C-alpha cells in the first residue's frame, strides 16, 4: 500500500499536501485583497446613502442600500471562506489519509466546494475545489454543489450568495439601521411609497407603448405584458409588511393598470377587425 502511495506521488497523482497548502495560502492572500476592496465599496455606498438621506432623497437612498447589502454579503462570505481555508490547511495531513471526508471537515469542505463555482474572483478556490473533488469523489462534490439532501453547506454562505432579488423589507431594515447610526430619520414609509409609485408608473408607461408587430404585420399585445405580474409580485411582498397604506395604494394603481391594459388590448383587436373588413369589401370592388 505504501508503495502505491509513493508511486502515485512520484507520478504527480493523488493528494499532495504541499501543493494543497500552498494553494490555500494563495487563496487567503487574495481574499485579504478582496476584503479590502469590498470594505471600500461598502463604505462608499454607505456614504452615498447618508448623503441622500440628508438631502431628503429617501427613495434614492433605498435603492442605493442594495449596493451596501451586496458588498456586505460578499465581505461576510470571504470571512467565512478564509476561516475554512485556515482549518483545511491545518488538517491537510488528515485529508491526505482519508478517502471519505471526515465529519469534522464536512461543513468546511462542502462550503468551499459550493462557493467555488459562485466566486469567480477567487481562481485559487477553483483549484481547491478540484483537489477536494479528486480526493473525496465527484458524488460528494455534487451533493454540496447542487444542495442535495444531506449536504452540510453553511446556511449563511447559501443565503449571502443567493441571486434572489433583495426584499423590500430587508432594504428598509438596513436603511433604518444606517439612519439610526447617524441620527438621521430615514422616513421608511415615505421612501417605500415613492419607490412603489415610481415602479407602477413605469409599468403603466410600458403598457402605453405601441405593441410590436409580428412578421405578418399583426400587433401582439401580449408580448409586452410581463410588467403586470412584476407589479403584482411587488404588491404581494409589501402585503407582508406593516405599511398598509402603501399596499392599498399599490393595489389601486395595479387595478388601474389592468384596466388600461385591457382597454389597449380591446383597441388593438378592434383595429385588426376593421382592417380585415376593409380588405373583404375591397376584393369585390377590384373584381368589378
Amino acid at each position: 500500500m505504501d508503495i502505491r502511495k509513493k508511486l502515485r506521488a512520484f507520478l504527480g497523482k493523488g493528494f499532495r499536501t504541499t501543493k494543497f497548502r500552498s494553494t490555500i495560502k494563495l487563496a487567503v492572500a487574495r481574499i485579504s485583497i478582496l476584503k479590502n476592496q469590498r470594505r471600500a465599496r461598502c463604505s462608499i455606498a454607505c456614504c452615498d446613502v447618508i448623503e441622500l438621506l440628508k438631502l431628503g432623497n429617501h427613495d434614492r437612498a433605498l435603492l442605493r442600500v442594495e449596493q451596501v447589502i451586496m458588498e456586505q454579503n460578499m465581505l461576510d462570505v470571504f470571512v467565512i471562506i478564509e476561516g475554512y481555508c485556515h482549518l483545511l490547511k491545518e488538517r491537510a495531513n488528515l485529508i491526505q489519509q482519508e478517502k471519505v471526508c471526515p465529519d469534522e471537515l464536512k461543513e468546511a469542505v462542502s462550503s468551499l466546494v459550493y462557493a467555488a463555482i459562485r466566486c469567480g474572483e477567487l481562481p485559487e478556490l477553483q483549484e481547491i475545489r478540484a483537489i477536494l473533488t479528486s480526493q473525496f469523489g465527484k458524488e460528494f462534490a455534487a451533493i454540496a454543489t447542487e444542495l442535495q439532501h444531506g449536504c452540510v453547506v453553511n446556511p449563511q454562505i447559501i443565503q449571502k450568495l443567493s441571486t434572489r432579488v433583495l426584499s423590500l423589507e430587508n432594504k428598509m431594515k438596513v436603511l433604518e439601521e444606517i439612519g439610526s447610526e447617524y441620527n438621521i430619520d430615514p422616513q421608511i414609509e415615505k421612501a417605500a411609497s415613492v419607490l412603489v409609485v415610481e415602479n407602477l408608473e413605469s409599468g403603466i408607461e410600458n403598457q402605453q407603448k405601441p405593441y410590436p408587430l409580428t412578421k405578418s404585420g399583426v400587433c401582439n399585445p401580449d408580448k409586452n405584458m410581463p410588467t403586470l405580474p412584476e407589479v403584482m409580485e411587488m404588491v404581494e411582498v409589501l402585503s407582508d409588511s406593516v405599511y398598509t397604506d402603501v399596499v392599498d395604494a399599490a393595489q389601486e394603481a395595479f387595478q388601474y393598470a389592468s384596466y388600461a391594459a385591457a382597454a389597449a388590448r380591446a383597441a388593438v383587436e378592434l383595429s385588426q377587425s376593421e382592417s380585415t373588413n376593409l380588405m373583404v369589401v375591397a376584393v369585390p370592388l377590384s373584381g368589378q
Side-chain angles (χ1 to χ4, degrees):
M1 189 68 179
D2 294 336
I3 297 177
R4 289 184 178 179
K5 287 184 177 180
K6 291 180 180 179
L7 182 59
R8 292 179 67 181
F10 177 76
L11 295 175
K13 298 179 180 179
F15 185 88
R16 291 185 291 176
T17 305
T18 305
K19 181 181 179 181
F20 182 68
R21 284 176 173 167
S22 63
T23 304
I24 287 183
K25 186 177 180 180
L26 292 173
V28 171
R30 188 182 295 274
I31 288 174
S32 179
I33 297 174
L34 293 175
K35 285 195 302 182
N36 291 334
Q37 293 177 352
R38 292 288 177 175
R39 287 194 188 98
R41 294 176 188 174
C42 187
S43 178
I44 293 173
C46 188
C47 290
D48 291 344
V49 171
I50 295 170
E51 290 300 321
L52 289 170
L53 289 176
K54 289 180 178 179
L55 294 173
N57 296 328
H58 300 85
D59 54 327
R60 301 291 179 246
L62 187 60
L63 293 174
R64 187 57 174 159
V65 159
E66 292 185 16
Q67 188 67 27
V68 177
I69 298 174
M70 291 172 59
E71 298 297 344
Q72 186 61 52
N73 283 345
M74 286 306 302
L75 184 58
D76 294 340
V77 168
F78 288 147
V79 171
I80 297 173
I81 291 176
E82 186 178 21
Y84 286 147
C85 285
H86 287 303
L87 175 61
L88 295 187
K89 183 179 178 181
E90 295 175 357
R91 300 290 193 274
N93 291 330
L94 178 61
I95 296 174
Q96 184 183 25
Q97 297 170 4
E98 301 292 338
K99 279 297 182 181
V100 178
C101 184
D103 292 338
E104 61 183 287
L105 300 179
K106 276 187 177 180
E107 181 180 320
V109 173
S110 299
S111 299
L112 291 183
V113 170
Y114 175 83
I117 62 175
R118 292 165 176 81
C119 296
E121 299 171 286
L122 275 171
E124 292 82 8
L125 193 58
Q126 316 296 328
E127 190 173 350
I128 293 173
R129 173 177 177 268
I131 295 173
L132 296 173
T133 301
S134 176
Q135 183 69 8
F136 298 128
K138 293 182 180 180
E139 183 178 355
F140 177 85
I143 292 175
T145 303
E146 301 170 9
L147 297 178
Q148 298 178 12
H149 178 70
C151 77
V152 289
V153 178
N154 189 318
Q156 289 188 5
I157 287 185
I158 298 174
Q159 178 186 358
K160 293 181 181 296
L161 288 179
S162 174
T163 56
R164 295 178 60 184
V165 178
L166 296 173
S167 66
L168 182 61
E169 182 180 0
N170 190 14
K171 290 188 287 186
M172 289 190 295
K173 179 181 178 181
V174 176
L175 183 63
E176 188 174 7
E177 291 176 355
I178 295 175
S180 61
E181 183 178 355
Y182 292 90
N183 297 322
I184 302 175
D185 183 10
Q187 298 186 19
I188 300 297
E189 295 183 13
K190 180 180 179 181
S193 61
V194 172
L195 183 61
V196 169
V197 170
E198 287 183 353
N199 288 335
L200 289 173
E201 289 177 351
S202 176
I204 295 173
E205 288 178 1
N206 290 335
Q207 292 299 327
Q208 294 175 347
K209 291 180 180 179
Y211 295 114
L213 295 177
T214 61
K215 292 182 179 180
S216 60
V218 180
C219 291
N220 185 6
D222 294 328
K223 193 169 183 179
N224 282 344
M225 294 300 293
T227 51
L228 289 178
E230 293 175 0
V231 175
M232 192 60 178
E233 182 179 0
M234 179 168 32
V235 173
E236 291 176 353
V237 172
L238 284 172
S239 63
D240 295 332
S241 63
V242 297
Y243 304 105
T244 55
D245 294 339
V246 178
V247 175
D248 294 339
Q251 289 176 340
E252 185 178 356
F254 171 74
Q255 187 176 10
Y256 288 139
S258 300
Y259 292 155
R265 186 183 291 104
V268 171
E269 292 176 354
L270 180 62
S271 63
Q272 291 177 355
S273 176
E274 291 177 353
S275 61
T276 303
N277 293 336
L278 289 174
M279 291 177 62
V280 172
V281 173
V283 169
L285 289 175
S286 61
Q288 292 176 356

